[in-house]
Amino acid sequence: MIAAETGLDLARLLLDLLIVIVVAKAAAELAERLRVPAVLGEILAGVLIGPSVLGWVTLTDSRGVSLSMLAEIGVLLLLLQVGMEMDLRELGKVGTASLSVAVVGVVVPFAAGFGVALAFGTSTNTAVFIGAALTATSVGITARVFGDLRALATTEARVVLGAAVADDVLGLIILTVVVKVVTGGDVGPVTILSTFGLAIGFLLVTGVVGVLGVPKLLDAVHRRAMSPATVTVVALAITIAFAELADAAKLAFIIGAFMAGLGLGRSQHHDRISRDLGAVGNIFIPVFFAQIGINADLDAMFEPSVLGLAAVLSIVAVIGKLASALGMFGARVDRLLIGLGMIPRGEVGLIFASIGLANGVLDADQYGALILVVLVTTVMTPPLLRWRLGRSAPATELHGDTEEPTTGWLSTTAGEIRLNGTPSPVLTVPIALRTASLTGQARPSDSLLDWFGTNRNTELSWDPDDTAALVRLLRVGEPRAWRFLDVSGVLERALPEVATAMEHRRADLGDLDPMGALRFQVVERLDELAPELGLPSDDLVLAGVVADVCADADDEGACVLGLARRLVPDDEAARIAALVADAHLLRNGAGRPEEFEEAELLQLATHLASASHAREAYELALALGPLPRWQREALDERIRLVTEALEHPELTGSEANNLAAARRVAAERLLDDPAPIERLRFASNGYLLSHEPEELARQARLVEPLPRQGTVRVAVSPQATPDTWKVDVACRDADALLAHLASVFTEFGLDIVSAGIATWPDGAVLDSFVVRSRPRPPARELALAFEAALTSRLAFPAMAGLTLEFDNDTLPWHTTVDVRGDDRPGVLQALTAAFAAAEVVVHTARVATEDGQVRDRFAVTDRLGRKVDAATADRVRAALAKGGRPQRSLRRR
C-alpha cells in the first residue's frame, strides 16, 4: 500500500514537473520574442497553470511539497549562479559614486516601503519585510537593455551596474537579517544588532574559506579525479554544505549558496562548473519562478485593497530608486538615466516575496501586492531605458585623428589604460582589441570608456588585419578582456554573426549575467586539451571561434563560411570552414564505431586528404563538446587509422596523389591490356577504396570488353573466412538491377554478407558480393539465372515493420541507411527494390542478421551522386511499406 502511494506521488510529481517545465519554457520563449524579461513569462506561466486559472498544478497538498522542494533547489542554484558571476575585484572598484547610489537606493525604498506598509495597517514585522523587499535591484535586466543599445561603456551604465552589484550584496545582508529578526518575532535593537553581527560574521568566515580554500580544494580534486564531472559534483556538494551552514546559523540558506558561488567563481574550473550546473539550473530555476505564479491568488491580487497597496508600493519603489541618482552628487551625468536603471526588482525581489510567504510573514494579499510591484517595475524599466537612451544617443560622427601619435593610442599609467589623443571612430576595432589585451594588467580609464560610449552607434566593419590581434586574445584567454569587449560591443558591431549568437546566449543566461555571453567555449576547450594535444594553430583557433558562434545558426554552413570570410582571406576561410565541417563529420561517425567499415574509413581518409588536416579536425571535434569515454576511444581509434592510411598509402608515386589513386595505380601495374586500365581510370573513388588492387585488376578484366545488353558475366573466388566467397557480377545497367540480383541469390540459398556497386557512364556495372555457402557457388548457373531474372517482371513484397534511419552526417560523400527489424525471406530484395523505386543508388551494402533481427547498412546517393534528402527517404519508406515494382532504370554516374 505504501509502495503504491509512493508510486502515485512520484507519478504526480513527474506530471507536475512536466507541466511546469514545458509551459514555463514556452512562456519564456514568447516573452523573449516580445522583448520582455523571460522571468516574467515564467511567472505568468505559473499563474496560468496554478489554481487561479487552469488548476493543473497546485501547491496545497502533499505532492505540492515535493514540487516546492524542487523550487527551493532552483532558488539555491539561482543564488549560486549570482555568486559565481560576481567579480569581487570589480566589487572593490565600483567607486564611491556607485556605492553612494547603491546606499541611497537601499535606504530610501526601505524607509518609504516600511512607512507605507505601516500606513496600510500591517504589523511591524511585515512592514520591515515589505520595506526590505523594495531594496533590491536586478542587474541583469538593466544590463540587457544597456547591452542591446550598445551603451554598456557609458558613464551612466558603469555607475548603475556597479551600484547594482553593491546592491546585491547589501540586499542579501538585509534579507539575512530581516528573515532572522522577523521570524524570531522580536524586532528590538538587541536582536537586530546581534543578527547583523551574526550575518556579517558568517559572510566573513565563509567568504575567506570560499575564496581561499575552495579553489585549492577543486584543484586537488581535479588532479586526482578520473572523470572531469567529479569537479562539478564536488562543487555542488560545497554549495549544499554552505547552505546547510547558513541554515544551522538560523540564516537564509540561499546566503550560503551565494557565498559558495563567490568561492567557486574564483576557481580555474569556473567555466566547467558553470556550464554543468547551469544546465541543471535551466530545469529547476524556472520551477522556482513558476512557483511564484502558482502561489499567486489572482482573485485576491485584483481586490481593490491589494491593487491600492501595490500601486502605492510601486510608486514608492520607483521614486526610491530614482532618488538613488542623488548619490552622484555634482557629477555631469544623466541622473534620470541612472535612476531608471535602478528601478527593476527582478529575481531578487521575487526571492524576498517567496521567503516572506513561506515564513508566514506575508499573507496572500501582501504577497500578491509585492508580486505586482516586481512585475510592474520589471516591465516598465526596459522601454523607459530605451526611451531615455534614445534621447541621449550621440550623433554618429567620423571626426578624429587617423595618424597614431608617437606615444601610441594607448598607454598604461598608475594601473589605468589611458587614451592618447582623439582617434577617429574608424579605429574603434583595433583600439578595442589593444585595450582588451592590456586589461590583465590595468583597467580602462573613464575617459577611454567614455570614448567607446560616445562612438557606440558608429557602424563598424572587420579588417582581416585585425584578426591576428583577436587570435592573440583568444590564446591568452583573459576573462577581463572578454568582459571589456562585451561592454564595448565592438565584436558584435563588426561581426554580425557574433551579434546573432550573443543575442541567443543572453536569452539563455536568463538575465543573470548578460555580460558573460561573449565567451568562446570551443576555444577554451582547445586550450584545455593543449597539454594532451599540443598548442592549436591559428587556423584551428579561428575554426573554434567560428564553430562556437555558428553552433545555433539556422544555416550553420552559411554562417561558418560567412564569418570565416570576414576574418581571413577566402582561401584560408575555405580551410577553416572545412575544418568545422570535418570535425562534425568525425564526431558523428564516432557514434557507431562498430558499423564503420574499411571502405568507409578509406573514403573518410581520402576526403580529409592530409594527415595534418585530419589531426586538426580531430582536435576540433574533441573541443566541440564532451564525449562519453567509449565514443572518445572510438574517435581516437578512427583518427589513428585515418592518419596511418594518409601517412602510409599502399603505393607512392607521381600519380598516386591520394588513397584512391594509389590503389588504382597499383591495380594498373597488374594489367597489360589497355582496355581494363582505361576502365579503372574512370572508376569512382568509392569503388577504388572498396577493393584491394588485385581485386580491382581481376574485376576490370571481367568488365572488359563491356558485356552486351542482357549478358551477365560472373566470377567466383574464395575468401579468407571459411565458407565465404566473393561473387563479382559484370553487366550493363538495368531496371532494379540490384533487386534482381538479390532475388537470384535468395533462390540459390546464398546469404549475402556485404555488397559493393561500381558503375560507369557508359552503362557498365560491376556488383561485388560476399556470400556464405559451404559449396562453391556455381558461376555459370548464377550467370544464366541472373540473365533470366533481368528479363522478368520484378515484384517485391511489402515489408512493414522495418525501420530505416538515413544519416547524412557520417560519411563525406554518401548517405548511410541503417535498417532494423525482424528478419524474414525477401528482406534484401524488398529493400533494394524500394531503393530503385525511389531512384536511390546503392554504392555499398553490408547485410547482417543477429538474433533474428536485420542489421543492414547501405551507403547511397541519389541519381546525381548527391546525398539523399528527406523527401527521397520518405519515398523509400513508402515504397517498402507498399511493395510493388520499380518503374525506371537508374543510370548511375
Side-chain angles (χ1 to χ4, degrees), residues 25 29 32 144 282 503-511 552:
K25 187 58 181 177
E29 286 286 336
E32 286 287 345
R144 279 286 296 276
N282 287 337
E503 183 178 353
H504 287 298
R505 293 181 186 184
R506 289 190 177 109
D508 286 343
L509 287 168
D511 293 330
D552 297 322

Side-chain angles (χ1 to χ4, degrees), residues 311-337:
V312 177
L313 288 176
S314 297
I315 294 171
V316 166
V318 171
I319 294 175
K321 290 300 183 180
L322 290 175
S324 66
L326 297 176
M328 288 302 295
F329 305 112
R332 296 180 59 184
V333 294
D334 187 340
R335 292 184 182 82
L336 179 57
L337 181 59

Side-chain angles (χ1 to χ4, degrees), residues 239-406:
T239 302
I240 296 172
F242 273 50
E244 282 293 320
L245 286 175
D247 187 66
K250 305 302 181 183
L251 303 174
F253 73 92
I254 57 173
I255 193 69
F258 173 78
M259 296 307 296
L262 287 180
L264 296 174
R266 296 291 294 269
S267 166
Q268 63 177 346
H269 310 289
H270 165 275
D271 291 336
R272 172 64 191 252
I273 297 168
S274 179
R275 184 169 62 246
D276 292 350
L277 293 183
V280 181
N282 287 337
I283 302 296
F284 290 105
I285 293 175
V287 175
F288 165 68
F289 289 127
Q291 181 204 31
I292 290 171
I294 295 170
N295 277 325
D297 185 341
L298 209 57
D299 293 334
M301 289 175 66
F302 286 97
E303 290 288 335
S305 59
V306 176
L307 290 175
L309 177 60
V312 177
L313 288 176
S314 297
I315 294 171
V316 166
V318 171
I319 294 175
K321 290 300 183 180
L322 290 175
S324 66
L326 297 176
M328 288 302 295
F329 305 112
R332 296 180 59 184
V333 294
D334 187 340
R335 292 184 182 82
L336 179 57
L337 181 59
I338 291 173
L340 291 175
M342 296 292 291
I343 287 176
R345 268 38 180 203
E347 63 281 343
V348 182
L350 296 173
I351 292 172
F352 269 98
S354 62
I355 290 178
L357 182 68
N359 285 278
V361 180
L362 302 177
D363 61 24
D365 290 354
Q366 295 153 354
Y367 174 79
L370 275 182
I371 295 299
L372 288 174
V373 171
V374 172
L375 294 176
V376 168
T377 58
T378 301
V379 170
M380 69 181 291
T381 302
L384 288 175
L385 283 175
R386 290 189 176 93
W387 163 76
R388 189 62 185 176
L389 282 167
R391 289 176 60 88
S392 60
T396 301
E397 298 182 359
L398 298 180
H399 301 309
D401 300 327
T402 55
E403 185 175 349
E404 188 172 3
T406 56

Side-chain angles (χ1 to χ4, degrees), residues 57 106 120 134 212-213 277 346 377 514 659 697 727 751 795 833 847 863:
V57 177
V106 167
F120 272 78
L134 298 186
L212 299 181
L277 293 183
T377 58
L659 292 172
V727 179
D751 293 330
V847 180
R863 291 189 304 115

